[in-house]
Amino acid sequence: MPRLTVFKKILAVTLLLSLLPLLVSSLILLSNLEAVNARLSKEIADTADMQASKSLQMRASNVAETIADFLRKCEGDLLFLSRTPLDKLTLLNFYNTRRSEVWQRLGVNKDLHELIPIYRSIAFIDKYGQQQLVIRNSRIVEPAGLHNISKPEETEFRNEDYFSRIKGLSKGEIYVSHLVGFHVSKQEQLAGAADPENAYDGKAYDGVIRFGTPLFDKQGAFNGMVVISLDHRHLMEFTQHIDPGSNFSTIFPSYKSGNYAFLFDDEGWIITHPKYWDIRGVDRSGKLVPPYSEKSSQADIDSGRIPFNLDQAGFIHPNYPKVASEVRNHRIGFVDITNVGGAKKIMAFAPIPYETGDYGKYGIFGGVTIGFQVDQFHDAARKGSRLIDSELRQHRSLSAIILIATALLAAFSAWVLSRGITRPLQQLIDGARRLAEGDTRSRVSVSSADELGELAETFNTMSTELEIRKTNLLSTLDELRRSRLEILDERNFKESILESISSAIVTFSPEGLLTSINATGRHFLGTSISVDMHYRDVFTGWAGMEHLTRQALDTRTGFGRQPLRFDRPNGMTHFEVGFFPIGKNAERGLTVTMRNETEKEKLREEMMRLDRLASLGKLSAGIAHEVRNPLTGISLLLDDLHDRSETGSADQQMIKKAVNEIERVERLVNALLNYSSPARAEFRVCDLNQVVTDSVLLMRRPAERSGISIRLENGELPVFGFDPEKIKQALLNIIRNAVEALPPGGSIHISTLACDDTAIIRISDNGPGIREDDLPLIFEPFFTRKGAGTGLGLSITQRIVEEHHGKIHVESNSAPGTSFIIELPLA
């Protein structure tokens, strides 16, 4: 008997499911029907759109031609008047006979058809601009109401220039203005209503288009003009009652629906519209209200001070400027558009041919647009789509019944076959789950002789192998864990050493990017340094470091240590830097070390200075000792010669000068001996303010003789231990130098104060100051800029202050003023 394998079982199930093509074919058929439905709906909608668009274009063209004829009729009326005697009776009769019907709404469900004059006014104006005869509202205007319209501010709308424009025309030429009238804001039209359709009590737009022609006398001289003003209401009649829908006409269109028409002039301004605030107009001063644009303020938008100009309305929909451009090119067409209210519609447009006056620029008066809401075109398409959907639903129901029956049969067949497959598979699944949970001793027993039996045997073999490998892996993991702990200990040890040493250690990759830096490195280079920064950024402000690092990385030279000097904050000036390659020839990067040698350098310089001073002291003491005895003999001999010479003789005067010079040399020798062998300081508790006062008292008289004032300002100081005589000597040296350096009229200011544990003495003058080059040398022995000085005063002063464990420093430059500051510890 052949073995029933898994393959054969699956094949048997596949044969039972041979009805699967039925399912696929049904789905394909449904999909195709859905596509046909969508395509038919689209074609019906496109056809409806095209037919409606052509119908709207034809209607817009008819309206445009009607408006053009109406405008030419107005021109004919004007020319008729220019050839007619302009007396009151003639003009009044003409005014009353030119009427046309206006369909007005008076309230809810109330309307009125009324014949009103076509022209709001007729005026005869003399050559000076003075109105001679005006008929308005079927009445002759009284003389008090007549104006000189040569002045624009006296015209009806405050800024009209039609007088000057007409005056410049030749005989028979006609001037036609653009629409002019006071702008009506949104609040004025709505008057509390929700929308224009319900604004029965709102303000209406009151504007005119003026037609004018000049008059000439028999000699051909300009003699005045006649002007007729077309009432804007008659322009509104051409578009206000158009309903592109099934009603064909309406007393007032619905703006929200998008089913309405409007006119715009050759400049793009809307001149008829259901929203009066969209119509061009001027403010009460005669200034044209700016059009609605992206720059319009929110206040203007809220108040409705936003007349509409199609050229500026591209931000609402890009087709608005396109319509204006097409009309100027005398083209008829339609566009898809969305108005300010959000209504999506098809808008047909047609130019109004007209070439009189300023309208000759484009050869049009403007354009007519008729809009119709897009959704209303698609009613036929929606009806056809609903019919197809109904048929599709019936087909889907039948297909569902067939598919359900097929699915039940397939499910029964699968259940029968799965019993022979799922049980062994479940055993394998349970064994695999136990194996996944860590039970490597798990085994499965399947008695089947097919592929499932072979799979079970293979699974058991795999479980045995996994158990062996698990044991080996656990042993390896224990060894790795111990190794990891040892590595971490060693790494922490090395990091502790790197962080604790006083040298900066910085490493860079071969590309020059920072890879590591220790705490000392951040102290030297700044806490903002971060990994992956380039060495140029790391060593910003460290002159020379960038060059040396680039040399080591690029040329693989310059390795080793070398001293460098920098001017860094916190007094760090001397460093020893080292460059060491990581790997052969720095192929793995570069290590840079930096050690602060500033304190070491300062100690070395101080030791050299002390050695020089000690040598100088020994030399000075030896020279002074050897020179003193001969000087004493020479002085005695000169005194004897001085006594023997004749009184008042030239020899006696020369001997006296020689004696004075010998005495000066003796003083220098004494100063040298005092400097080389100073007396030991005797510290005792004293009042520093008293010592400063005594020193000032000693120097006040010499200072006054030189015309110099001394001002003393003692602060509160505690008594403490110091040598008063030596401190007084130090103060006298500084004050004496100041007196000698100051010109007559100079001043010296001496003050004392206590700061923390330090007593501070400040001696300031307003003299010429010390040159910057001399500042490092003023405390050196024998340095002086005075011809007769020894140059030891400030050196002795510095030694006295240092003997008191204090500090002395100077603040001065070539500008006026020098200050010496002595700081003595109170402890």
Side-chain angles (χ1 to χ4, degrees):
M1 182 177 178
R3 186 178 66 172
L4 190 62
T5 62
V6 174
F7 173 76
K8 293 178 180 179
K9 295 177 183 179
I10 296 175
L11 182 60
V13 173
T14 304
L15 291 174
L16 290 175
L17 296 178
S18 59
L19 292 178
L20 183 62
L22 177 62
L23 174 63
V24 175
S25 62
S26 298
L27 292 176
I28 293 174
L29 179 60
L30 288 172
S31 176
N32 290 336
L33 288 175
E34 292 286 353
V36 170
N37 179 28
R39 188 165 61 252
L40 285 175
S41 298
K42 184 177 183 303
E43 289 179 358
I44 294 172
D46 292 344
T47 303
D49 288 350
M50 185 59 65
Q51 291 177 350
S53 300
K54 291 182 177 179
S55 175
L56 291 177
Q57 289 180 56
M58 185 179 298
R59 191 169 182 184
S61 298
N62 292 336
V63 173
E65 289 296 334
T66 302
I67 295 173
D69 292 340
F70 179 74
L71 295 173
R72 295 186 189 97
K73 179 182 176 183
C74 294
E75 289 185 24
D77 288 345
L78 178 67
L79 294 176
F80 172 77
L81 283 176
S82 67
R83 296 188 292 267
T84 303
L86 299 176
D87 57 79
K88 294 180 181 180
L89 184 60
T90 302
L91 288 180
L92 188 60
N93 182 58
F94 176 87
Y95 179 88
N96 288 325
T97 57
R98 296 305 190 270
R99 292 176 178 268
S100 181
E101 186 179 276
V102 173
W103 187 11
Q104 305 180 64
R105 57 178 182 169
L106 303 177
V108 181
N109 298 324
K110 294 181 180 180
D111 61 279
L112 174 66
H113 292 268
E114 181 182 7
L115 286 172
I116 64 171
I118 294 176
Y119 305 109
R120 202 160 74 101
S121 66
I122 298 175
F124 166 58
I125 303 162
D126 65 18
K127 61 183 178 180
Y128 302 108
Q130 181 63 43
Q131 293 176 331
Q132 296 297 323
L133 179 61
V134 176
I135 299 176
R136 184 182 294 117
N137 298 329
S138 301
R139 295 194 305 272
I140 297 174
V141 177
E142 297 294 332
L146 301 178
H147 301 279
N148 188 327
I149 54 91
S150 65
K151 302 175 182 178
E153 63 271 14
E154 291 192 18
T155 58
E156 182 179 2
F157 297 108
R158 304 293 185 268
N159 198 23
E160 297 180 80
D161 62 349
Y162 60 87
F163 176 79
S164 60
R165 296 289 302 277
I166 298 171
K167 185 178 180 180
L169 298 178
S170 301
K171 185 175 182 179
E173 290 185 329
I174 296 174
Y175 163 79
V176 184
S177 74
H178 286 87
L179 176 67
V180 60
F182 290 122
H183 182 258
V184 176
S185 68
K186 180 178 181 180
Q187 290 86 344
E188 289 175 333
Q189 181 185 0
L190 296 181
D195 51 59
E197 292 176 76
N198 299 303
Y200 304 107
D201 300 324
K203 184 177 180 180
Y205 185 87
D206 186 14
V208 296
I209 294 178
R210 301 197 190 276
F211 293 77
T213 188
L215 302 176
F216 298 89
D217 57 18
K218 294 180 180 180
Q219 287 74 30
F222 175 72
N223 195 36
M225 63 186 67
V226 60
V227 177
I228 58 176
S229 301
L230 174 63
D231 194 327
H232 175 258
R233 289 180 291 178
H234 293 287
L235 279 181
M236 289 288 290
E237 285 297 299
F238 288 108
T239 59
Q240 182 166 299
H241 308 305
I242 294 176
D243 185 354
S246 58
N247 295 328
F248 195 77
S249 65
T250 179
I251 184 172
F252 198 88
S254 170
Y255 174 73
K256 289 182 179 179
S257 69
N259 298 339
Y260 61 88
F262 65 85
L263 299 183
F264 62 92
D265 62 18
D266 63 333
E267 295 178 344
W269 290 96
I270 287 181
I271 56 176
T272 71
H273 198 277
K275 294 193 308 180
Y276 298 158
W277 63 85
D278 279 358
I279 301 174
R280 72 179 289 171
V282 298
D283 58 22
R284 294 300 169 180
S285 64
K287 184 178 179 182
L288 188 66
V289 178
Y292 185 26
S293 67
E294 290 179 291
K295 299 180 181 179
S296 297
S297 66
Q298 190 60 43
D300 285 343
I301 295 173
D302 293 340
S303 64
R305 281 178 51 86
I306 46 172
F308 213 80
N309 189 305
L310 269 61
D311 292 324
Q312 304 292 326
F315 72 100
I316 297 174
H317 198 286
N319 280 338
Y320 278 120
K322 179 181 176 182
V323 168
S325 176
E326 291 290 291
V327 166
R328 292 189 185 107
N329 290 317
H330 296 260
R331 296 193 185 100
I332 301 172
F334 68 93
V335 293
D336 293 328
I337 211 158
T338 303
N339 66 8
V340 179
K344 294 182 178 180
K345 60 181 182 178
I346 290 178
M347 190 170 77
F349 57 86
I352 303 171
Y354 191 65
E355 298 181 352
T356 302
D358 292 344
Y359 296 99
K361 180 178 181 180
Y362 299 109
I364 60 167
F365 178 76
V368 179
T369 70
I370 302 177
F372 190 54
Q373 196 165 356
V374 174
D375 290 345
Q376 297 183 20
F377 289 156
H378 303 161
D379 288 341
R382 284 193 287 269
K383 290 178 181 178
S385 178
R386 285 194 295 270
L387 180 61
I388 296 174
D389 285 340
S390 175
E391 294 297 326
L392 284 175
R393 280 194 298 272
Q394 294 179 9
H395 179 75
R396 282 195 292 265
S397 299
L398 180 60
S399 298
I401 294 172
I402 297 173
L403 292 174
I404 290 173
T406 304
L408 290 175
L409 179 61
F412 176 75
S413 301
W415 179 78
V416 172
L417 290 173
S418 66
R419 293 189 63 187
I421 299 175
T422 56
R423 286 181 181 178
L425 286 178
Q426 187 61 46
Q427 292 179 2
L428 284 171
I429 291 171
D430 294 339
R433 184 178 294 111
R434 290 194 298 272
L435 186 63
E437 293 173 353
D439 185 7
T440 55
R441 293 173 294 180
S442 174
R443 302 292 184 272
V444 295
S445 59
V446 177
S447 58
S448 176
D450 56 13
E451 286 89 343
L452 289 175
E454 294 179 4
L455 179 61
E457 184 178 351
T458 303
F459 177 82
N460 292 333
T461 303
M462 180 188 68
S463 298
T464 302
E465 183 66 23
L466 284 175
E467 185 174 9
I468 296 171
R469 294 189 180 186
K470 176 183 177 182
T471 302
N472 295 334
L473 182 61
L474 290 174
S475 176
T476 304
L477 285 175
D478 288 337
E479 294 179 3
L480 288 175
R481 190 178 294 108
R482 288 192 298 270
S483 299
R484 178 177 176 274
L485 292 175
E486 292 174 359
I487 292 172
L488 288 175
D489 290 341
E490 183 177 357
R491 188 191 68 180
N492 292 336
F493 175 72
K494 291 180 178 179
E495 287 183 352
S496 177
I497 292 175
L498 287 175
E499 293 297 322
S500 62
I501 62 177
S502 59
S503 296
I505 299 179
V506 187
T507 61
F508 295 96
S509 68
E511 293 78 21
L513 301 179
L514 180 69
T515 56
S516 68
I517 181 171
N518 66 349
T520 307
R522 293 187 184 278
H523 174 67
F524 287 171
L525 301 174
T527 57
S528 61
I529 300 299
S530 61
V531 175
D532 290 335
M533 287 182 65
H534 199 269
Y535 66 82
R536 289 192 299 269
D537 301 323
V538 173
F539 293 126
T540 298
W542 294 77
M545 286 298 293
E546 178 184 343
H547 170 71
L548 293 173
T549 306
R550 181 172 61 251
Q551 178 183 354
L553 285 172
D554 296 346
T555 65
R556 304 295 193 266
T557 61
F559 300 130
R561 291 187 174 89
Q562 57 180 300
L564 284 180
R565 190 179 190 282
F566 307 100
D567 291 326
R568 303 301 302 168
N570 302 324
M572 296 188 294
T573 56
H574 294 80
F575 288 82
E576 181 186 75
V577 298
F579 298 88
F580 305 99
I582 302 175
K584 186 178 180 181
N585 290 329
E587 60 186 11
R588 294 174 57 193
L590 180 70
T591 299
V592 179
T593 64
M594 302 176 66
R595 186 168 62 200
N596 185 8
E597 297 287 321
T598 303
E599 292 299 326
K600 181 179 178 181
E601 184 67 20
K602 287 183 178 178
L603 289 175
R604 186 182 67 80
E605 292 177 355
E606 183 63 19
M607 291 300 297
M608 291 177 62
R609 188 179 75 85
L610 292 176
D611 288 344
R612 288 198 307 271
L613 293 178
S615 299
L616 182 62
K618 291 179 181 179
L619 177 63
S620 300
I623 292 174
H625 182 73
E626 295 298 328
V627 171
R628 173 178 267 180
N629 291 333
L631 282 178
T632 302
I634 294 172
S635 179
L636 292 174
L637 291 173
L638 288 174
D639 284 340
D640 187 49
L641 286 175
H642 178 269
D643 294 338
R644 292 182 181 184
S645 62
E646 294 181 5
T647 302
S649 64
D651 292 338
Q652 190 181 41
Q653 294 298 324
M654 290 180 63
I655 293 170
K656 184 176 180 181
K657 290 181 180 179
V659 171
N660 290 335
E661 291 300 315
I662 294 297
E663 290 177 351
R664 190 170 70 83
V665 173
E666 286 183 350
R667 288 195 298 272
L668 175 60
V669 169
N670 290 332
L672 287 172
L673 289 174
N674 290 334
Y675 180 76
S676 61
S677 301
R680 188 177 182 83
E682 297 180 1
F683 286 81
R684 61 177 182 273
V685 176
C686 299
D687 184 356
L688 180 61
N689 281 337
Q690 185 60 46
V691 173
V692 174
T693 302
D694 293 344
S695 302
V696 171
L697 185 62
L698 290 175
M699 289 303 301
R700 190 177 298 277
R701 183 59 60 84
E704 290 176 351
R705 284 199 297 268
S706 299
I708 296 167
S709 62
I710 300 178
R711 182 164 60 92
L712 176 61
E713 186 178 346
N714 284 332
E716 294 185 5
L717 291 176
V719 295
F720 64 100
F722 62 92
D723 188 328
E725 295 302 325
K726 287 203 170 188
I727 294 299
K728 183 184 295 184
Q729 181 184 358
L731 294 173
L732 290 175
N733 287 341
I734 297 174
I735 298 173
R736 186 179 295 110
N737 284 348
V739 171
E740 293 173 356
L742 287 172
S747 63
I748 301 173
H749 178 237
I750 303 170
S751 62
T752 62
L753 61 94
C755 182
D756 297 332
D757 294 330
T758 304
I760 300 175
I761 307 172
R762 186 181 187 92
I763 305 168
S764 304
D765 64 51
N766 60 354
I770 302 173
R771 293 189 304 182
E772 186 176 356
D773 296 341
D774 292 343
L775 284 175
L777 306 173
I778 60 174
F779 292 111
E780 294 293 327
F782 304 111
F783 175 78
T784 180
R785 291 294 181 186
K786 298 183 293 184
T790 64
L792 294 173
L794 288 179
S795 180
I796 292 172
T797 299
Q798 184 187 39
R799 175 180 290 179
I800 292 172
V801 173
E802 290 177 348
E803 190 176 9
H804 283 74
H805 304 289
K807 298 177 184 177
I808 180 171
H809 57 277
V810 62
E811 296 175 356
S812 180
N813 50 46
S814 58
T818 302
S819 297
F820 282 85
I821 297 94
I822 298 174
E823 299 178 5
L824 300 175
L826 294 175

